[in-house]
Amino acid sequence: MSSATALRRLPAWEAARAEFLRTADPAQAQAVIAAVTDAVVTEAFHAAMPRGAPATLLALGAYGRGRPFPHSSVELLLVCSSDGELADLQPLLPGFTQRLWERALSLRCAARTIAAALEPKAREFQAPLGLLERRLRAGGRLPLWRLGGD
């Protein structure tokens, strides 16, 4: 089931669909898809991660640009400062991804240290190139300047 199928169950989706049919403005539809997805992803993060969890959640790709297509995957990267924090995060990941799968989101999710995310051989999100189109979604603020901004 695609992300769009899951999101169609939400009232905001039907409002966005009606607005798109009225205006034929794809940018507006993409903005609503991003906003509804943001709400689902942020809720799942806060439900699965205890306060102070050692991760920052980033949206990547078209979703990271705030311009997802109705049937595109939701690309997420959880970033930690150290290998120790990443080890602490690993047991929390199944609960987080399960919540998103239950909402039937088409999901691409990874967890990395900042150093690993910047390695040229990390190909899951065409990293580090994919980090140029990121948006902070949830979690603690790591030294994201190391990723080239924020």
Side-chain angles (χ1 to χ4, degrees), residues 77-97:
L77 179 64
L78 290 137
V79 183
C80 298
S81 292
S82 68
D83 289 333
E85 287 182 351
L86 185 59
D88 292 343
L89 181 65
Q90 291 297 333
L92 303 173
L93 291 177
F96 173 63
T97 56

PDB file of all heavy atoms in Angstrom, residues 77-97:
ATOM      1  N   LEU A  77      15.986   9.631   7.869  1.00  0.00           N
ATOM      2  CA  LEU A  77      17.284   9.282   8.414  1.00  0.00           C
ATOM      3  C   LEU A  77      17.332   9.721   9.865  1.00  0.00           C
ATOM      4  O   LEU A  77      17.067  10.893  10.166  1.00  0.00           O
ATOM      5  CB  LEU A  77      18.407   9.967   7.622  1.00  0.00           C
ATOM      6  CG  LEU A  77      19.828   9.697   8.100  1.00  0.00           C
ATOM      7  CD1 LEU A  77      20.185   8.216   7.955  1.00  0.00           C
ATOM      8  CD2 LEU A  77      20.814  10.555   7.322  1.00  0.00           C
ATOM      9  N   LEU A  78      17.614   8.780  10.749  1.00  0.00           N
ATOM     10  CA  LEU A  78      17.838   9.071  12.158  1.00  0.00           C
ATOM     11  C   LEU A  78      19.342   9.207  12.336  1.00  0.00           C
ATOM     12  O   LEU A  78      20.097   8.288  11.991  1.00  0.00           O
ATOM     13  CB  LEU A  78      17.284   7.959  13.040  1.00  0.00           C
ATOM     14  CG  LEU A  78      15.756   7.914  13.034  1.00  0.00           C
ATOM     15  CD1 LEU A  78      15.263   6.503  12.932  1.00  0.00           C
ATOM     16  CD2 LEU A  78      15.229   8.602  14.260  1.00  0.00           C
ATOM     17  N   VAL A  79      19.783  10.354  12.846  1.00  0.00           N
ATOM     18  CA  VAL A  79      21.211  10.641  12.969  1.00  0.00           C
ATOM     19  C   VAL A  79      21.578  10.749  14.445  1.00  0.00           C
ATOM     20  O   VAL A  79      20.877  11.411  15.213  1.00  0.00           O
ATOM     21  CB  VAL A  79      21.567  11.960  12.240  1.00  0.00           C
ATOM     22  CG1 VAL A  79      23.058  12.219  12.296  1.00  0.00           C
ATOM     23  CG2 VAL A  79      21.096  11.932  10.803  1.00  0.00           C
ATOM     24  N   CYS A  80      22.692  10.099  14.807  1.00  0.00           N
ATOM     25  CA  CYS A  80      23.233  10.141  16.168  1.00  0.00           C
ATOM     26  C   CYS A  80      24.658  10.678  16.109  1.00  0.00           C
ATOM     27  O   CYS A  80      25.294  10.643  15.056  1.00  0.00           O
ATOM     28  CB  CYS A  80      23.280   8.749  16.778  1.00  0.00           C
ATOM     29  SG  CYS A  80      21.682   7.975  16.934  1.00  0.00           S
ATOM     30  N   SER A  81      25.157  11.112  17.248  1.00  0.00           N
ATOM     31  CA  SER A  81      26.520  11.652  17.303  1.00  0.00           C
ATOM     32  C   SER A  81      27.591  10.570  17.341  1.00  0.00           C
ATOM     33  O   SER A  81      28.681  10.764  16.823  1.00  0.00           O
ATOM     34  CB  SER A  81      26.687  12.547  18.533  1.00  0.00           C
ATOM     35  OG  SER A  81      25.912  13.709  18.403  1.00  0.00           O
ATOM     36  N   SER A  82      27.291   9.429  17.972  1.00  0.00           N
ATOM     37  CA  SER A  82      28.344   8.434  18.203  1.00  0.00           C
ATOM     38  C   SER A  82      27.826   7.016  17.979  1.00  0.00           C
ATOM     39  O   SER A  82      26.619   6.769  17.941  1.00  0.00           O
ATOM     40  CB  SER A  82      28.863   8.559  19.635  1.00  0.00           C
ATOM     41  OG  SER A  82      27.847   8.157  20.543  1.00  0.00           O
ATOM     42  N   ASP A  83      28.773   6.088  17.896  1.00  0.00           N
ATOM     43  CA  ASP A  83      28.407   4.670  17.772  1.00  0.00           C
ATOM     44  C   ASP A  83      27.652   4.194  19.009  1.00  0.00           C
ATOM     45  O   ASP A  83      26.732   3.378  18.902  1.00  0.00           O
ATOM     46  CB  ASP A  83      29.658   3.810  17.560  1.00  0.00           C
ATOM     47  CG  ASP A  83      30.272   3.991  16.185  1.00  0.00           C
ATOM     48  OD1 ASP A  83      29.518   4.340  15.240  1.00  0.00           O
ATOM     49  OD2 ASP A  83      31.493   3.786  16.048  1.00  0.00           O
ATOM     50  N   GLY A  84      28.015   4.703  20.182  1.00  0.00           N
ATOM     51  CA  GLY A  84      27.316   4.326  21.414  1.00  0.00           C
ATOM     52  C   GLY A  84      25.860   4.761  21.382  1.00  0.00           C
ATOM     53  O   GLY A  84      24.967   4.003  21.785  1.00  0.00           O
ATOM     54  N   GLU A  85      25.612   5.984  20.921  1.00  0.00           N
ATOM     55  CA  GLU A  85      24.226   6.467  20.803  1.00  0.00           C
ATOM     56  C   GLU A  85      23.461   5.663  19.770  1.00  0.00           C
ATOM     57  O   GLU A  85      22.283   5.359  19.959  1.00  0.00           O
ATOM     58  CB  GLU A  85      24.209   7.953  20.448  1.00  0.00           C
ATOM     59  CG  GLU A  85      24.614   8.852  21.589  1.00  0.00           C
ATOM     60  CD  GLU A  85      24.541  10.314  21.225  1.00  0.00           C
ATOM     61  OE1 GLU A  85      24.337  10.650  20.033  1.00  0.00           O
ATOM     62  OE2 GLU A  85      24.691  11.140  22.135  1.00  0.00           O
ATOM     63  N   LEU A  86      24.134   5.299  18.681  1.00  0.00           N
ATOM     64  CA  LEU A  86      23.481   4.485  17.654  1.00  0.00           C
ATOM     65  C   LEU A  86      23.091   3.121  18.232  1.00  0.00           C
ATOM     66  O   LEU A  86      21.993   2.625  17.967  1.00  0.00           O
ATOM     67  CB  LEU A  86      24.394   4.322  16.440  1.00  0.00           C
ATOM     68  CG  LEU A  86      23.811   3.598  15.239  1.00  0.00           C
ATOM     69  CD1 LEU A  86      22.567   4.309  14.708  1.00  0.00           C
ATOM     70  CD2 LEU A  86      24.856   3.475  14.139  1.00  0.00           C
ATOM     71  N   ALA A  87      23.957   2.534  19.038  1.00  0.00           N
ATOM     72  CA  ALA A  87      23.641   1.257  19.687  1.00  0.00           C
ATOM     73  C   ALA A  87      22.443   1.406  20.625  1.00  0.00           C
ATOM     74  O   ALA A  87      21.589   0.518  20.696  1.00  0.00           O
ATOM     75  CB  ALA A  87      24.858   0.740  20.449  1.00  0.00           C
ATOM     76  N   ASP A  88      22.350   2.534  21.339  1.00  0.00           N
ATOM     77  CA  ASP A  88      21.198   2.781  22.213  1.00  0.00           C
ATOM     78  C   ASP A  88      19.914   2.960  21.418  1.00  0.00           C
ATOM     79  O   ASP A  88      18.829   2.634  21.897  1.00  0.00           O
ATOM     80  CB  ASP A  88      21.430   4.037  23.066  1.00  0.00           C
ATOM     81  CG  ASP A  88      22.535   3.860  24.092  1.00  0.00           C
ATOM     82  OD1 ASP A  88      22.903   2.703  24.386  1.00  0.00           O
ATOM     83  OD2 ASP A  88      23.041   4.896  24.588  1.00  0.00           O
ATOM     84  N   LEU A  89      20.044   3.476  20.206  1.00  0.00           N
ATOM     85  CA  LEU A  89      18.880   3.748  19.363  1.00  0.00           C
ATOM     86  C   LEU A  89      18.331   2.483  18.692  1.00  0.00           C
ATOM     87  O   LEU A  89      17.123   2.370  18.478  1.00  0.00           O
ATOM     88  CB  LEU A  89      19.255   4.784  18.292  1.00  0.00           C
ATOM     89  CG  LEU A  89      18.177   5.206  17.332  1.00  0.00           C
ATOM     90  CD1 LEU A  89      17.064   5.946  18.062  1.00  0.00           C
ATOM     91  CD2 LEU A  89      18.766   6.069  16.233  1.00  0.00           C
ATOM     92  N   GLN A  90      19.200   1.531  18.381  1.00  0.00           N
ATOM     93  CA  GLN A  90      18.801   0.354  17.608  1.00  0.00           C
ATOM     94  C   GLN A  90      17.568  -0.367  18.162  1.00  0.00           C
ATOM     95  O   GLN A  90      16.668  -0.716  17.396  1.00  0.00           O
ATOM     96  CB  GLN A  90      19.976  -0.628  17.462  1.00  0.00           C
ATOM     97  CG  GLN A  90      21.096  -0.125  16.588  1.00  0.00           C
ATOM     98  CD  GLN A  90      20.702   0.117  15.145  1.00  0.00           C
ATOM     99  OE1 GLN A  90      19.789  -0.504  14.612  1.00  0.00           O
ATOM    100  NE2 GLN A  90      21.391   1.045  14.494  1.00  0.00           N
ATOM    101  N   PRO A  91      17.452  -0.597  19.473  1.00  0.00           N
ATOM    102  CA  PRO A  91      16.263  -1.301  19.974  1.00  0.00           C
ATOM    103  C   PRO A  91      14.966  -0.504  19.826  1.00  0.00           C
ATOM    104  O   PRO A  91      13.880  -1.076  19.891  1.00  0.00           O
ATOM    105  CB  PRO A  91      16.566  -1.529  21.462  1.00  0.00           C
ATOM    106  CG  PRO A  91      18.001  -1.230  21.655  1.00  0.00           C
ATOM    107  CD  PRO A  91      18.441  -0.372  20.519  1.00  0.00           C
ATOM    108  N   LEU A  92      15.069   0.815  19.624  1.00  0.00           N
ATOM    109  CA  LEU A  92      13.883   1.663  19.492  1.00  0.00           C
ATOM    110  C   LEU A  92      13.356   1.723  18.057  1.00  0.00           C
ATOM    111  O   LEU A  92      12.200   2.066  17.835  1.00  0.00           O
ATOM    112  CB  LEU A  92      14.198   3.085  19.974  1.00  0.00           C
ATOM    113  CG  LEU A  92      14.721   3.209  21.402  1.00  0.00           C
ATOM    114  CD1 LEU A  92      15.155   4.636  21.681  1.00  0.00           C
ATOM    115  CD2 LEU A  92      13.676   2.743  22.396  1.00  0.00           C
ATOM    116  N   LEU A  93      14.211   1.383  17.106  1.00  0.00           N
ATOM    117  CA  LEU A  93      13.831   1.514  15.685  1.00  0.00           C
ATOM    118  C   LEU A  93      12.640   0.658  15.274  1.00  0.00           C
ATOM    119  O   LEU A  93      11.762   1.143  14.548  1.00  0.00           O
ATOM    120  CB  LEU A  93      15.029   1.223  14.784  1.00  0.00           C
ATOM    121  CG  LEU A  93      16.141   2.258  14.815  1.00  0.00           C
ATOM    122  CD1 LEU A  93      17.298   1.820  13.941  1.00  0.00           C
ATOM    123  CD2 LEU A  93      15.619   3.610  14.393  1.00  0.00           C
ATOM    124  N   PRO A  94      12.557  -0.602  15.684  1.00  0.00           N
ATOM    125  CA  PRO A  94      11.399  -1.399  15.256  1.00  0.00           C
ATOM    126  C   PRO A  94      10.057  -0.792  15.678  1.00  0.00           C
ATOM    127  O   PRO A  94       9.100  -0.812  14.902  1.00  0.00           O
ATOM    128  CB  PRO A  94      11.629  -2.757  15.911  1.00  0.00           C
ATOM    129  CG  PRO A  94      13.110  -2.844  16.099  1.00  0.00           C
ATOM    130  CD  PRO A  94      13.536  -1.431  16.415  1.00  0.00           C
ATOM    131  N   GLY A  95       9.982  -0.247  16.863  1.00  0.00           N
ATOM    132  CA  GLY A  95       8.731   0.383  17.304  1.00  0.00           C
ATOM    133  C   GLY A  95       8.379   1.601  16.457  1.00  0.00           C
ATOM    134  O   GLY A  95       7.210   1.820  16.129  1.00  0.00           O
ATOM    135  N   PHE A  96       9.396   2.375  16.086  1.00  0.00           N
ATOM    136  CA  PHE A  96       9.184   3.555  15.249  1.00  0.00           C
ATOM    137  C   PHE A  96       8.708   3.158  13.851  1.00  0.00           C
ATOM    138  O   PHE A  96       7.677   3.638  13.370  1.00  0.00           O
ATOM    139  CB  PHE A  96      10.485   4.362  15.168  1.00  0.00           C
ATOM    140  CG  PHE A  96      10.446   5.503  14.200  1.00  0.00           C
ATOM    141  CD1 PHE A  96       9.559   6.563  14.381  1.00  0.00           C
ATOM    142  CD2 PHE A  96      11.298   5.538  13.119  1.00  0.00           C
ATOM    143  CE1 PHE A  96       9.537   7.631  13.497  1.00  0.00           C
ATOM    144  CE2 PHE A  96      11.282   6.596  12.233  1.00  0.00           C
ATOM    145  CZ  PHE A  96      10.391   7.644  12.419  1.00  0.00           C
ATOM    146  N   THR A  97       9.443   2.258  13.225  1.00  0.00           N
ATOM    147  CA  THR A  97       9.056   1.859  11.866  1.00  0.00           C
ATOM    148  C   THR A  97       7.735   1.107  11.843  1.00  0.00           C
ATOM    149  O   THR A  97       6.961   1.262  10.898  1.00  0.00           O
ATOM    150  CB  THR A  97      10.165   1.028  11.191  1.00  0.00           C
ATOM    151  OG1 THR A  97      10.473  -0.114  11.998  1.00  0.00           O
ATOM    152  CG2 THR A  97      11.423   1.854  10.975  1.00  0.00           C
TER     153      THR A  97
END
